[in-house]
């Protein structure tokens, strides 16, 4: 699994601190530069009528003339030898400026970076930004930049030999390709197999072909040829396994997703859907679209949101086949891909898991953590980045459009409020006055004030989408401040108030497919007990208790769970999973679902190991009615309440002047009311109040 560029950058800066990276003397046209810009701090910005501002992405663009390289060329390279592409990072500098920098250490003698200054991931996605802006506004400048970036995207693609169709990831400032960067990323060399960067290249080709088909048929034909070359690379490797399934800790998973990732495959599907809509008679591309979409759908739930939200992963389409325990918001456009494919292929069945993800899981995110980087399966990486926020926003918008759901559209507005202050920092992360999107928000609430290509790109993709959806945009901008939040919370097992068990702290909290929350776990042998204090729901209502348990392959440790009030039984866990299969290690760390919820009056949960050793990482506590309340300028107020119950639940929502809309577990409108109301939430449904 390859993390997003911004995630990697945040972790690197957190480890080594902010350091100045200077290119030294002898700067070329493609060398790092420091540019003055308007104050990038969103708090000081003046909003404009249109949110999209391409100025910072324009600043990141640079030019290079690559040397002749076997297997790499692009459209009109003989007559147009210069390529345009964005620098991968832009570090904040004193005086409200940014310095464009590459990835990895810089060699002053060569001007080369350990990775490079440009990567095909960002080049292709930047092309999508300018394509969508051109489509939305008719901008000649955006059309030209889209054309240049698509030419650059194609240069990274290998055109001959056994790896034809695959894509090199990194390039140095002088145009030299770097197929084996330091640190190494898989596959290595980067064009030796299918990859995230091939998926994103197909995304750009597909949207590029659709955009240029009528205005520049010759260029569109070139993009078509390159997309077909990429599809053949998929057929040779990934799609050669179509119809075959592997096993992940006893669960069947598709074997034909790009690098085993529904997230990577989804970005390819976005391009293939756009292309297939414009070129419906290209059977290989249409087959690739259908097969990848089928694989993505297999990673989701075919059940309704009311049923799916009862247990992990709470309706989410999981992104990686090699882990049943992990979800990351970055590269999570699986619902968007399925929604687009369902329309192009005329397959309504593809839309169902997208709707379930949108209603059940996105509501869970909104009422608890926001679009964080990682559940593993507890929320272990609570960093938030634009790639995650945009992925969830795009998914909600595409699903709302395909399902004709006003409820899911309202969820999109609340998700987009991340950019305007509904995040861990409490501050805006996008500035419409400069086009800067910050590189993320740390778990502590501090903001990484760099603004590299990935963050800038996904921030702009979100703004373009909001400009196309005025109602969603208005809701997002009016829900900038968190008033209260009452959703999924975590109780660490090692912090039990009383126990006869043993706290275990492994050398590493991560095993490649899951991660301990808090770094430790509690082991309970037969007869041993533990008691945990649990937070009350703000409404005083009942709560789901989902113990996160180490589940071995084969044997099944058994434990009895009870609530504190009259020792009320909650359920029995039998912790076991099936064959390891494609996962990194045998066994799995997974939340178990107890049969009964904890009563509202209970303040603790107890467990007794009945057989074997029950090892508990944490308790996930989820109110049957979760809630988030947000405010904005003036008296603006938005409120979301979500049902995680199989039965209708009473909830109070709204305030004087509010409009309250109640939706079922498919996002369909059930009723519209005004003022403060006591309502019955449909099972698995939600309600939104706005003022």
């Amino acid at each position: 699994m390859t993390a997003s560029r911004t995630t990697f950058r945040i972790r690197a800066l957190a480890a080594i601190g902010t350091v100045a990276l200077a290119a030294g003397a002898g700067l070329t046209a493609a060398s790092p530069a420091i540019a003055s810009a308007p104050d990038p701090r969103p708090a000081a910005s003046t909003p404009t009528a249109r949110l999209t501002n391409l100025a910072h992405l324009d600043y990141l663009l640079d030019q290079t003339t690559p040397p002749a390289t076997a297997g790499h060329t692009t459209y009109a390279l003989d007559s147009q030898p210069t390529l345009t592409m964005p620098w991968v990072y832009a570090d904040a500098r004193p005086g409200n400026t940014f310095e464009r920098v590459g990835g990895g250490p810089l060699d002053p003698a060569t001007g080369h970076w350990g990775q490079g200054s440009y990567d095909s991931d960002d080049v292709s996605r930047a092309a999508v930004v300018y394509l969508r802006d051109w489509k939305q506004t008719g901008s000649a400048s955006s059309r030209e930049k889209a054309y240049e970036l698509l030419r650059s995207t194609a240069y990274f693609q290998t055109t001959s030999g056994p790896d034809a169709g695959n894509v090199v990831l990194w390039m140095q400032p002088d145009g030299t390709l770097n197929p084996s960067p330091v640190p190494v990323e898989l596959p290595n060399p980067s064009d030796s197999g299918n990859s995230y960067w091939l998926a994103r290249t197909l995304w750009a080709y597909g949207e590029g072909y659709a955009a240029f088909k009528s205005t520049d048929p010759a260029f569109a034909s070139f993009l078509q040829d390159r997309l077909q070359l990429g599809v053949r690379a998929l057929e040779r490797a990934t799609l050669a396994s179509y119809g075959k399934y592997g096993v992940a800790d006893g669960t069947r998973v598709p074997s034909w997703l790009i690098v085993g990732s529904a997230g990577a495959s989804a970005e390819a599907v976005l391009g293939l859907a756009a292309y297939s809509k414009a070129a419906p008679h290209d059977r290989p591309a249409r087959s690739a679209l259908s097969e990848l979409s089928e694989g993505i759908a297999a990673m989701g739930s075919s059940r309704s949101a009311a049923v799916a939200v009862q247990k992990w992963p709470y309706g989410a389409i999981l992104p990686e086949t090699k882990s049943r325990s992990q979800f990351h918001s970055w590269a999570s456009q699986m619902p968007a891909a399925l929604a687009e494919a369902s329309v192009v292929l005329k397959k309504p069945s593809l839309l169902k898991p997208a709707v379930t993800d949108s209603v059940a899981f996105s509501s869970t995110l909104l009422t608890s953590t926001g679009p964080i980087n990682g559940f593993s399966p507890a929320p272990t990486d609570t960093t938030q980045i634009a790639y995650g926020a945009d992925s969830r926003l795009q998914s909600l918008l595409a699903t709302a459009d395909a399902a004709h759901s006003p409820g899911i559209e309202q969820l999109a507005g609340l998700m987009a409020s991340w950019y305007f202050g509904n995040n861990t920092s409490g501050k805006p992360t996008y500035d419409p006055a400069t086009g800067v999107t910050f590189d993320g928000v740390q778990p502590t609430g501090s903001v990484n004030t760099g603004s590299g290509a990935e963050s800038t790109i996904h921030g702009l993709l979100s703004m373009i989408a909001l400009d196309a959806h005025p109602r969603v945009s208005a809701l997002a901008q009016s829900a900038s401040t968190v008033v209260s939040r009452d959703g999924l919370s975590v109780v660490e097992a090692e912090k039990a108030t009383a126990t006869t068990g043993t706290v275990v702290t492994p050398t590493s909290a991560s095993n490649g497919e899951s991660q301990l929350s808090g770094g430790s776990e509690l082991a309970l042998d037969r007869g041993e007990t533990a008691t945990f204090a649990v937070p009350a729901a703000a409404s005083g209502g009942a709560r789901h208790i989902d113990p996160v348990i180490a589940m071995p392959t084969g044997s099944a440790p058994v434990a009895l769970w009870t609530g504190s009030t009259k020792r009320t039984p909650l359920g029995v866990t039998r912790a076991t999973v099936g064959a390891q299969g494609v996962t990194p290690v045998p066994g799995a760390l997974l939340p178990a679902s107890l049969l009964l919820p904890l009563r509202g009056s209970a303040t603790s949960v107890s467990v007794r190991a009945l057989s074997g050793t029950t090892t508990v990482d944490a308790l996930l506590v989820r109110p049957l009615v979760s809630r988030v309340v947000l405010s904005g300028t003036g008296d603006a107020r938005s409120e979301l309440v979500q049902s995680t119950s199989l039965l209708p639940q009473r909830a109070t929502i709204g305030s004087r002047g509010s409009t309250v809309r109640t939706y079922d577990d498919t996002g369909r409108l059930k009723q519209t009311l005004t003022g403060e109301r006591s309502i019955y939430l449909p099972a698995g449904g939600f309600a939104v109040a706005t003022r």
Side-chain angles (χ1 to χ4, degrees), residues 164-242:
N166 289 322
V167 176
V168 173
L169 178 57
W170 286 99
M171 179 186 284
Q172 300 292 357
D174 61 6
T176 303
L177 292 171
N178 186 16
S180 297
V182 178
V184 171
E185 298 186 56
L186 299 179
N188 183 37
S190 53
D191 64 343
S192 60
N194 295 171
S195 60
Y196 266 92
W197 29 103
L198 170 60
R200 290 160 183 156
T201 294
L202 292 172
W203 180 10
Y205 287 161
E207 294 204 21
Y209 175 83
F212 282 99
K213 179 182 177 182
S214 59
T215 63
D216 192 340
F219 184 52
S221 178
F222 167 79
L223 296 175
Q224 181 177 51
D225 289 343
R226 286 305 190 90
L227 182 142
Q228 291 170 340
L229 182 64
V231 168
R232 289 195 292 274
L234 288 181
E235 291 172 337
R236 214 169 46 237
T238 294
L239 298 179
S241 298
Y242 173 68

Side-chain angles (χ1 to χ4, degrees), residues 123-458:
V123 176
S124 56
R125 289 181 288 179
V128 173
V129 170
Y130 287 108
L131 284 166
R132 292 185 181 182
D133 186 73
W134 168 36
K135 181 179 178 181
Q136 188 175 90
T137 68
S139 165
S141 173
S142 289
R143 180 193 186 281
E144 179 63 22
K145 289 183 175 71
Y147 167 81
E148 292 295 347
L149 286 161
L150 286 166
R151 290 181 64 244
S152 299
T153 296
Y155 187 85
F156 285 88
Q157 188 176 32
T158 301
T159 60
S160 59
D163 298 321
N166 289 322
V167 176
V168 173
L169 178 57
W170 286 99
M171 179 186 284
Q172 300 292 357
D174 61 6
T176 303
L177 292 171
N178 186 16
S180 297
V182 178
V184 171
E185 298 186 56
L186 299 179
N188 183 37
S190 53
D191 64 343
S192 60
N194 295 171
S195 60
Y196 266 92
W197 29 103
L198 170 60
R200 290 160 183 156
T201 294
L202 292 172
W203 180 10
Y205 287 161
E207 294 204 21
Y209 175 83
F212 282 99
K213 179 182 177 182
S214 59
T215 63
D216 192 340
F219 184 52
S221 178
F222 167 79
L223 296 175
Q224 181 177 51
D225 289 343
R226 286 305 190 90
L227 182 142
Q228 291 170 340
L229 182 64
V231 168
R232 289 195 292 274
L234 288 181
E235 291 172 337
R236 214 169 46 237
T238 294
L239 298 179
S241 298
Y242 173 68
K244 298 178 182 178
Y245 288 83
V247 172
D249 292 322
T251 296
R252 193 173 80 151
V253 293
S255 298
W256 65 92
L257 293 174
I258 298 172
V259 296
S261 172
S265 300
E267 297 187 355
V269 164
L270 294 175
L272 290 168
Y275 172 77
S276 294
K277 186 176 181 180
H281 302 300
D282 188 329
R283 294 181 64 183
R286 199 172 185 87
S287 292
L289 169 63
S290 178
E291 292 168 5
L292 288 175
S293 299
E294 182 182 332
I296 295 167
M299 297 296 291
S301 176
S302 60
R303 297 182 175 185
S304 68
V307 175
V309 79
Q310 298 303 305
K311 63 180 184 178
W312 173 262
Y314 312 132
I317 302 172
L318 288 178
E320 313 295 340
T321 59
K322 294 183 179 181
S323 176
R324 291 172 53 187
S325 305
Q326 291 189 346
F327 178 88
H328 47 77
S329 292
W330 57 267
S332 67
Q333 294 193 75
M334 296 82 73
L338 292 180
E340 298 288 357
S342 72
V343 173
V344 174
L345 297 173
K346 296 181 172 60
K347 288 185 177 180
S349 61
L350 294 175
L351 185 58
K352 188 168 185 178
V355 169
T356 295
D357 181 295
S358 299
V359 172
F361 190 68
S362 282
S363 293
T364 298
L365 288 177
L366 286 166
T367 57
S368 56
T369 64
I372 63 171
N373 274 355
F375 290 79
S376 299
T380 51
D381 184 354
T382 55
T383 305
Q384 300 173 343
I385 61 174
Y387 192 7
D390 179 56
S391 293
R392 301 315 297 167
L393 171 61
Q394 301 292 345
S395 289
L396 287 165
L397 287 174
T399 304
D401 289 347
H404 307 291
S405 169
I408 297 176
E409 184 179 87
Q410 283 202 292
L411 294 179
L414 297 176
M415 189 66 74
S417 66
W418 182 86
Y419 290 99
F420 305 102
N422 177 16
N423 57 64
T424 310
S425 74
K427 301 174 183 177
T429 55
Y430 173 76
D431 182 3
T434 63
V436 166
T437 301
F438 289 146
D439 274 341
V441 181
Q442 298 281 11
T444 59
S446 62
V447 177
N448 182 332
T449 54
S451 184
E454 182 177 272
S455 300
T456 303
I457 286 164
H458 283 285

